[in-house]
Amino acid sequence: MTMVNLEHLAGRRVLSQRGKSIGYIEEIRAEPDGDDFVVTEFHVGIYAAFERLSASAIGVAVLDLFRLRRRDGLYRIPWDKLDISDPARPRLLCPMTELSIMKSAPDFRD
């Protein structure tokens, strides 16, 4: 199990397998596991930053204003698809075609 301080990952640029930047880690999702929390996915791209705002009517209006609610190129990366062994340079472990593209309205699981 890899243990990394989340503050070392938040805001870091994520690189594809080919070394191309695909965006920045804007949100890190985790679930309780006993007394600990386990990361389930990373949200990469500007959409993730606005996702938290979208719980309000103002947040949804901002997303719509900038046409971010249905924009391609903003990703949910499962925990096991991101190499975080070097927290300063997180890198995808899969082709970008395997990533879930955030196209729909925000996820309100919280």
Side-chain angles (χ1 to χ4, degrees):
M1 178 186 327
T2 302
M3 305 252 324
V4 174
N5 291 328
L6 295 181
E7 64 267 13
H8 294 174
L9 287 173
R12 294 291 181 178
R13 181 173 45 156
V14 175
L15 302 175
S16 70
Q17 287 182 314
R18 296 181 177 181
K20 178 184 173 195
S21 175
I22 66 163
Y24 293 85
I25 296 174
E26 298 290 348
E27 185 172 334
I28 301 169
R29 293 279 177 132
E31 295 179 355
D33 182 27
D35 292 335
D36 296 321
F37 281 86
V38 176
V39 171
T40 57
E41 65 185 12
F42 300 91
H43 293 188
V44 174
I46 188 85
Y47 179 90
F50 284 105
E51 188 174 32
R52 289 182 296 278
L53 290 174
S54 65
S56 70
I58 293 171
V60 170
V62 169
L63 288 173
D64 288 339
L65 176 67
F66 293 104
R67 302 181 199 278
L68 294 174
R69 275 211 292 176
R70 300 194 180 276
R71 188 169 171 191
D72 292 343
L74 306 161
Y75 305 98
R76 295 178 192 271
I77 303 173
W79 70 271
D80 61 341
K81 303 284 185 188
L82 190 64
D83 176 5
I84 58 171
S85 60
D86 178 0
R89 295 180 52 85
R91 181 178 288 274
L92 283 178
L93 294 172
C94 66
M96 290 184 55
T97 56
E98 288 184 25
L99 298 180
S100 173
I101 298 174
M102 298 171 146
K103 288 184 179 176
S104 59
D107 178 5
F108 295 115
R109 286 186 285 180
D110 305 91

